[in-house]
Amino acid sequence: MRLKMDKRDGCLVVGLLGELDHHGATELRETVDAEIESAGPSCLVLDFSGVDFMDSSGFGFVMGRYKKMHRTGGAVTVRGARGHVKKMLELSGAGKYVTIE
């Protein structure tokens, strides 16, 4: 899993590329959480357009970032999810907590 982070208009935008599975989720979580703590964004945008596979660890990653942002009044948006990844997010009920574009 590779990622690119950018700050735009008070939001932290995280572009993900590759497979979001158990092996990559821990490092990804630590990296994104450190940036959230450092930058203090009001919103987090997770760009999933480059994610071609996600297992339950990916769902855990999204919900964990939701909890982290929610504690400070921030919001999370998942952008660009498609196919299996989008279906998994929808069926899991993630849309009740995060915006899925």
Side-chain angles (χ1 to χ4, degrees), residues 47-62:
D47 184 349
F48 273 53
S49 59
V51 177
D52 48 20
F53 174 81
M54 181 177 85
D55 64 11
S56 61
S57 299
F59 172 72
F61 169 75
V62 171

Side-chain angles (χ1 to χ4, degrees), residues 49 76 84 90:
S49 59
V76 177
H84 161 77
E90 291 171 344

Side-chain angles (χ1 to χ4, degrees), residues 7 10-12 32-43 69 72 74:
K7 296 176 198 114
C11 289
L12 176 62
V32 173
D33 282 356
E35 190 63 28
I36 290 170
E37 290 172 18
S38 171
S42 59
C43 59
M69 292 297 295
T72 61

Side-chain angles (χ1 to χ4, degrees), residues 1 18-30 51 53-61 88:
M1 171 63 46
E19 297 185 354
L20 183 47
D21 58 15
H22 174 71
H23 299 292
T26 301
E27 183 178 340
L28 179 62
R29 180 173 41 251
E30 291 171 357
V51 177
F53 174 81
M54 181 177 85
D55 64 11
S56 61
S57 299
F59 172 72
F61 169 75
M88 186 175 189

Side-chain angles (χ1 to χ4, degrees), residues 65-77:
R65 300 319 48 91
Y66 160 75
K67 289 177 184 177
K68 188 165 201 59
M69 292 297 295
H70 184 73
R71 279 186 228 124
T72 61
V76 177
T77 298

